[in-house]
Amino acid sequence: MEIKGVKNMATVLQILTTMHSFRGLNAKQKVRETYNNYAKEHNKSKTSDDAWCSETVSVAFIKCNAVKLIGDIAKDSSTHVKHFKQLGIWKSGHDRIPNPGDILIRSKNGKPNHTEMVFSVDEKRGILTAISGNYLGNVGLRTRKIHDPKTYGYGCPKYSNYKIVTPDIIEKIFLGKYGKGATIGTQRFNQLALDGYDPNEVQKKVNWVINIAQDIKDGKPNIVKIYGNDEQRKQALGKWYDVVQKQINVLYNIDMW
């Protein structure tokens, strides 16, 4: 399913969550089907060889309506590199510390040979986790050394910023409209990410609402000075007043989510 209302823009988590969702039964078939349908619609050449790592990356951007972030679709690593250079987002070599969402190009005999995407980076351990199509017949996660000589370079798309977390979103979380789950692959995380939010920032705000409501209810002296009476509270909390007050009422068992 394509993300509606997002045209040639995407956050890094929209892309990574989409890539991650490809894992599972018939991954290759689904990737190729989406790639070829897009190619046909836009008068591009269809995929034809057995390798499908580059198509997997392309399809993540197709699904997010953000192909222009990588220049165009590509069915091989060399074409990806060409597009990245044209966009000015190509970083050659293995000396840099990559970021999640960077597109990793591997080399063989000094030439681009394999395409995957940086999923996470552990600079302290000197390793990264990449998500790759055409890996053991599926889409999967694999570990690489950050400074691996076989790293040809990186495409570094200019991703969008995340949406601002609003009281409305937090209220929907409390009401269960996003489901549950704090890690990629779970309902809440995926839906928040695909909607353009950083799920980790959303969770921090959820925790803040819960904690500040509890502190107000408990009447902690330093909290009372700021949020003591209703007018003080409204002024101090601003747009967050309603959702925090609702949580306070929930704690008093006079309301419920």
Side-chain angles (χ1 to χ4, degrees):
M1 179 180 292
E2 294 186 353
I3 300 173
K4 304 299 182 182
V6 182
K7 189 67 173 177
N8 300 321
M9 297 176 64
T11 69
V12 61
L13 272 178
Q14 281 177 320
I15 297 296
L16 286 174
T17 299
T18 300
M19 278 277 286
H20 191 270
S21 72
F22 295 160
R23 302 185 310 155
L25 191 64
N26 299 323
K28 178 179 179 180
Q29 178 183 336
K30 292 175 182 177
V31 165
R32 285 223 155 140
E33 183 178 277
T34 301
Y35 185 96
N36 287 333
N37 286 341
Y38 182 92
K40 181 179 179 181
E41 182 181 349
H42 294 81
N43 297 314
K44 309 285 184 181
S45 61
K46 294 183 179 181
T47 182
S48 58
D49 54 25
D50 289 333
W52 50 289
C53 55
S54 293
E55 291 97 318
T56 305
V57 170
S58 295
V59 168
F61 287 86
I62 290 171
K63 288 282 191 180
C64 293
N65 301 315
V67 170
K68 285 189 176 181
L69 287 181
I70 55 171
D72 204 346
I73 59 173
K75 58 183 179 180
D76 59 70
S77 301
S78 295
T79 303
H80 270 309
V81 173
K82 177 183 176 182
H83 292 157
F84 299 155
K85 288 181 176 179
Q86 289 173 341
L87 279 179
I89 62 170
W90 174 247
K91 304 292 183 182
S92 183
H94 58 83
D95 293 335
R96 66 186 293 273
I97 304 297
N99 297 305
D102 285 353
I103 299 167
L104 169 59
I105 304 295
R106 302 274 294 172
S107 68
K108 184 177 182 180
N109 299 323
K111 296 181 179 180
N113 174 255
H114 178 70
T115 308
E116 43 194 43
M117 183 173 288
V118 178
F119 188 76
S120 63
V121 178
D122 188 335
E123 189 174 352
K124 185 176 181 179
R125 295 173 61 198
I127 61 173
L128 62 83
T129 300
I131 187 164
S132 172
N134 195 29
Y135 178 53
L136 301 178
N138 209 313
V139 175
L141 297 169
R142 60 201 309 179
T143 302
R144 305 284 194 192
K145 292 180 180 179
I146 291 176
H147 300 299
D148 189 333
K150 290 185 178 180
T151 294
Y152 190 75
Y154 297 92
C156 307
K158 297 178 181 179
Y159 293 107
S160 302
N161 294 327
Y162 296 109
K163 291 181 180 177
I164 295 173
V165 180
T166 63
D168 178 62
I169 293 300
I170 303 306
E171 183 175 348
K172 288 179 180 178
I173 296 294
F174 282 122
L175 291 171
K177 293 184 178 180
Y178 275 90
K180 297 181 179 180
T183 57
I184 195 166
T186 58
Q187 184 182 0
R188 182 193 292 181
F189 187 102
N190 279 19
Q191 193 55 58
L192 284 169
L194 293 176
D195 283 353
Y197 296 96
D198 180 345
N200 298 313
E201 289 303 313
V202 173
Q203 187 60 51
K204 286 180 183 178
K205 205 64 181 181
V206 168
N207 295 343
W208 176 81
V209 170
I210 291 171
N211 292 334
I212 197 70
Q214 186 68 58
D215 288 348
I216 291 172
K217 178 180 180 295
D218 291 345
K220 291 186 176 181
N222 59 320
I223 296 297
V224 169
K225 289 181 181 179
I226 304 172
Y227 306 103
N229 59 52
D230 198 51
E231 286 306 314
Q232 276 182 294
R233 197 172 300 169
K234 285 180 178 179
Q235 187 160 359
L237 290 171
K239 65 181 182 180
W240 291 96
Y241 173 81
D242 288 340
V243 68
V244 171
Q245 190 59 49
K246 176 71 175 286
Q247 180 61 20
I248 293 170
N249 293 342
V250 169
L251 293 174
Y252 276 110
N253 294 316
I254 59 176
D255 205 345
M256 60 183 295
W257 289 107

